[in-house]
Amino acid sequence: MILLAPHTDTVFNNPKIAYENGQHIGLLDNFIGVLCTYLTLYQHEAIRALEQDGELKIYHNRGEEYGYLLDPPDLDPGEDLVIVVDVCAGDHYQDIDVSFENIWNFPDIDETIAELRREGYRIAQRPYTGDPADTDEAFAWIEKGIPVLSFIIPIQAKENNWHRIACDNTVAATVVAKAANCLARFISHLI
């Protein structure tokens, strides 16, 4: 089973989120991860069929920003995979469509990413190293022994701080749409 995990907690209450001139604006962590997950589900009949057949599930963690999993589903390390869907900003995210990060024990990932690149997706790739600077929800799944990676959607953030209280991060709708299509293609390669 594939578990899509876009967290729904935020770093502060009542975040600003808007849409103007083809751009989302505001505290986009993790509104964009949730949006991308559901666009993938809604726009691809095969992905919806996987969910209806129990081969794909969605889990919205409410503790990611605090470093823990809140009421996670029971998963089997030999059968299940987790794809954390999140956002990030910074120089590492320039000129890419998505980044696959904190890759841990994920089967055939190099071949799958190579195929996605042949399909035209610009993908950055970073394995799990245990570096505390890279901590995200994937670390909690690794502690449980579940194969995992973080599927990261690049956003623009002043000072590379996607948690700014000013809620002034941006991402173009075209970026989100391309990420959703990439996520769908990635899932199709896994099944």
Side-chain angles (χ1 to χ4, degrees), residues 13 16 36 50 61 71 79 93 98 104 111 131 137 173:
N13 294 329
K16 172 187 154 194
C36 181
L50 287 173
N61 186 18
D71 297 323
E79 299 291 325
Y93 302 96
V98 296
W104 185 81
E111 295 84 3
D131 183 342
E137 184 175 320

Side-chain angles (χ1 to χ4, degrees), residues 36-73:
C36 181
T37 299
Y38 284 102
L39 285 172
T40 300
L41 182 68
Y42 296 162
Q43 295 179 346
H44 300 277
E45 188 175 330
I47 305 297
R48 285 194 312 276
L50 287 173
E51 190 277 330
Q52 290 169 351
D53 293 341
E55 296 178 44
L56 181 139
K57 293 185 180 180
I58 297 173
Y59 163 67
H60 296 291
N61 186 18
R62 300 273 310 144
E64 192 273 346
E65 298 294 357
Y66 310 101
Y68 62 87
L69 299 173
L70 183 63
D71 297 323

Side-chain angles (χ1 to χ4, degrees), residues 4 13 16 30 32 54 82 116 127 145 147 172 176 185 189:
L4 297 179
N13 294 329
K16 172 187 154 194
N30 191 28
I32 295 300
V82 175
L116 291 169
V176 179
R185 293 298 302 141
H189 284 287

